[in-house]
Amino acid sequence: MTHKVSVEDIDSVHLYGRNDVNLRLVQDSFDVKVAVRGGEITIVGDDDDEATKAEKVLTEMANLVRRGRTVRREDVSYAIRMVQADHAEELTQFYATGTRLKGLKKPVEPKTVGQKKYVEAMLKHDIVVAIGPAGTGKTYLAVAMAVAALRQKEVERIVLVRPAVEAGESLGYLPGDFQEKIAPYLRPLYDALRDMMDPERVRRLTEIGTIEVIPLAYMRGRTLNDAFVILDEAQNSTMPQMKMFLTRLGFSSRAVVTGDITQIDLTSRKLSGLVRIQEILTDIKGIEFVYLNESDVVRHRLVREVIKAFERYARAREERAQEDD
């Protein structure tokens, strides 16, 4: 079976990748041969379903280039996974309506369907809870949304919060005063900020209090008006801490809570406020829960495989425990 994709109206370099790496990825992922001649890509395969899927991926990638994007290997890999999982229509809708955040040092936009749902939830709701594994962009997109809101004067300040929970290390043995001890726990938030804004501007806004990066314990007793507040690594907050955080919101404020309930550093999973609020807050209008999974991981492809391997291991342990009971 032969399928063709016309690309004569676009710059092929932005589609094919360096040394045609994107085309080779499509060819290796489906039982097809991919060839290029002039302004046309030809896909040949014995299985029409495989050829159709390869055509779908290349068509969507060509449309991305038409909208001004350079197609990366990660874009192609994600499109392949979606088409192989029979989510081609969802993929088309995802690429048809972009959601780019404005007012940032560099453009930021969702890279997966799950991330797009997450961004749309933050645009529509005052409190959003995002739960998912590492690498799904939970923190990064929340910080991007906060900076965009600050730049567009939708809020007057940003407050980034993390619980300072010991993850196998002892704070007491770390050098320096308390601020120096907790700095490593807050560093990922500063890193995300500096991706969105010039470092000098981050420093200046931090000095005048427009941006705060603080431990969760420092939130007690405060009321935050006109603020975009993010609680990161929320799986390590207890129920009292979670209640305390969510009741800090004042007028014209928004909150995003992010966490990975498979990486809880508390002594017991049952203590996690992030786990418990899924039962407590689900029916409250204005609060939206978003669940991301390994298909939304935008790091190295092996991160997805690691996540899936740990999930299989956890399921196997639970099954064995049930059999023992």
Side-chain angles (χ1 to χ4, degrees), residues 193-204:
L193 272 175
R194 287 172 178 144
D195 248 15
M196 315 295 169
M197 309 171 72
D198 293 325
E200 178 58 28
R201 181 169 174 78
V202 173
R203 185 191 64 78
R204 189 168 63 253

Side-chain angles (χ1 to χ4, degrees), residues 31-43:
D31 188 17
V32 297
K33 295 292 184 183
V34 177
V36 177
R37 175 171 293 180
E40 194 171 65
I41 301 174
T42 302
I43 304 146

Side-chain angles (χ1 to χ4, degrees), residues 98-138:
T99 310
R100 179 170 292 191
L101 301 181
K102 300 176 181 179
L104 307 175
K105 184 170 70 173
K106 62 180 183 181
V108 174
E109 60 186 343
K111 294 181 174 62
T112 70
V113 171
Q115 287 189 352
K116 184 179 179 183
K117 291 177 181 176
Y118 178 32
V119 169
E120 289 174 346
M122 289 190 286
L123 289 169
K124 295 176 183 176
H125 300 276
D126 287 338
I127 297 179
V128 174
V129 181
I131 298 174
T136 50
K138 302 182 301 296

Side-chain angles (χ1 to χ4, degrees), residues 21-34 49-51 53-54 57 73 76-81 83-84:
V21 63
N22 294 336
L23 297 182
R24 290 203 306 274
L25 181 57
V26 173
Q27 182 170 271
D28 293 343
S29 300
F30 301 99
D31 188 17
V32 297
K33 295 292 184 183
V34 177
D49 184 54
E50 288 284 287
K53 288 178 177 178
V57 170
R73 182 184 177 89
V76 181
S77 295
Y78 180 67
I80 288 169
R81 294 200 305 274
V83 169
Q84 287 176 334

Side-chain angles (χ1 to χ4, degrees), residues 177-231:
D177 59 21
F178 180 70
Q179 288 292 341
E180 291 170 327
K181 289 177 190 291
I182 65 171
Y185 293 92
L186 305 177
R187 176 57 54 191
L189 297 174
Y190 281 111
D191 290 344
L193 272 175
R194 287 172 178 144
D195 248 15
M196 315 295 169
M197 309 171 72
D198 293 325
E200 178 58 28
R201 181 169 174 78
V202 173
R203 185 191 64 78
R204 189 168 63 253
L205 293 178
T206 302
E207 286 180 352
I208 64 176
T210 301
I211 294 177
E212 287 185 76
V213 184
I214 60 174
L216 177 57
Y218 283 26
M219 290 287 287
R220 192 170 299 280
R222 301 182 63 182
T223 299
L224 300 173
N225 296 314
D226 298 299
F228 198 115
V229 193
I230 300 170
L231 174 57

Side-chain angles (χ1 to χ4, degrees), residues 8-275:
E8 59 185 358
D9 60 328
I10 63 175
D11 187 340
S12 60
V13 173
H14 295 304
L15 173 61
Y16 302 162
R18 184 177 298 178
N19 298 322
D20 295 343
V21 63
N22 294 336
L23 297 182
R24 290 203 306 274
L25 181 57
V26 173
Q27 182 170 271
D28 293 343
S29 300
F30 301 99
D31 188 17
V32 297
K33 295 292 184 183
V34 177
V36 177
R37 175 171 293 180
E40 194 171 65
I41 301 174
T42 302
I43 304 146
V44 179
D46 294 333
D47 187 328
D48 188 54
D49 184 54
E50 288 284 287
T52 299
K53 288 178 177 178
E55 178 190 9
K56 177 65 175 176
V57 170
L58 289 170
T59 298
E60 293 297 343
M61 295 301 97
N63 288 337
L64 264 188
V65 176
R66 291 185 179 97
R67 288 193 287 272
R69 281 270 302 276
T70 296
V71 174
R72 305 168 307 153
R73 182 184 177 89
E74 293 80 6
D75 297 317
V76 181
S77 295
Y78 180 67
I80 288 169
R81 294 200 305 274
M82 290 291 286
V83 169
Q84 287 176 334
D86 294 324
H87 295 318
E89 290 185 11
E90 197 173 2
L91 183 71
T92 299
Q93 186 178 11
F94 168 64
Y95 285 129
T97 54
T99 310
R100 179 170 292 191
L101 301 181
K102 300 176 181 179
L104 307 175
K105 184 170 70 173
K106 62 180 183 181
V108 174
E109 60 186 343
K111 294 181 174 62
T112 70
V113 171
Q115 287 189 352
K116 184 179 179 183
K117 291 177 181 176
Y118 178 32
V119 169
E120 289 174 346
M122 289 190 286
L123 289 169
K124 295 176 183 176
H125 300 276
D126 287 338
I127 297 179
V128 174
V129 181
I131 298 174
T136 50
K138 302 182 301 296
T139 303
Y140 193 84
L141 289 172
V143 173
M145 183 69 70
V147 172
L150 182 68
R151 285 283 182 86
Q152 295 172 50
K153 302 188 184 303
E154 296 171 6
V155 296
E156 294 181 358
R157 55 178 162 165
I158 298 172
V159 182
L160 308 178
V161 186
R162 263 194 170 197
V165 173
E166 300 173 10
E169 307 89 356
S170 175
L171 279 172
Y173 285 100
L174 294 174
D177 59 21
F178 180 70
Q179 288 292 341
E180 291 170 327
K181 289 177 190 291
I182 65 171
Y185 293 92
L186 305 177
R187 176 57 54 191
L189 297 174
Y190 281 111
D191 290 344
L193 272 175
R194 287 172 178 144
D195 248 15
M196 315 295 169
M197 309 171 72
D198 293 325
E200 178 58 28
R201 181 169 174 78
V202 173
R203 185 191 64 78
R204 189 168 63 253
L205 293 178
T206 302
E207 286 180 352
I208 64 176
T210 301
I211 294 177
E212 287 185 76
V213 184
I214 60 174
L216 177 57
Y218 283 26
M219 290 287 287
R220 192 170 299 280
R222 301 182 63 182
T223 299
L224 300 173
N225 296 314
D226 298 299
F228 198 115
V229 193
I230 300 170
L231 174 57
D232 192 39
E233 295 290 327
Q235 74 274 7
N236 290 328
S237 64
T238 63
M239 269 296 294
Q241 287 175 325
M242 181 64 75
K243 179 181 177 182
M244 179 269 290
F245 172 80
L246 292 173
T247 54
R248 299 307 93 200
L249 286 188
F251 296 109
S252 302
S253 287
R254 296 149 67 183
V256 178
V257 176
T258 72
D260 178 0
I261 57 177
T262 69
Q263 296 193 44
I264 297 173
D265 299 316
L266 301 170
T267 55
S268 169
R269 174 187 171 90
K270 294 179 182 178
L271 295 174
S272 173
L274 184 59
V275 171

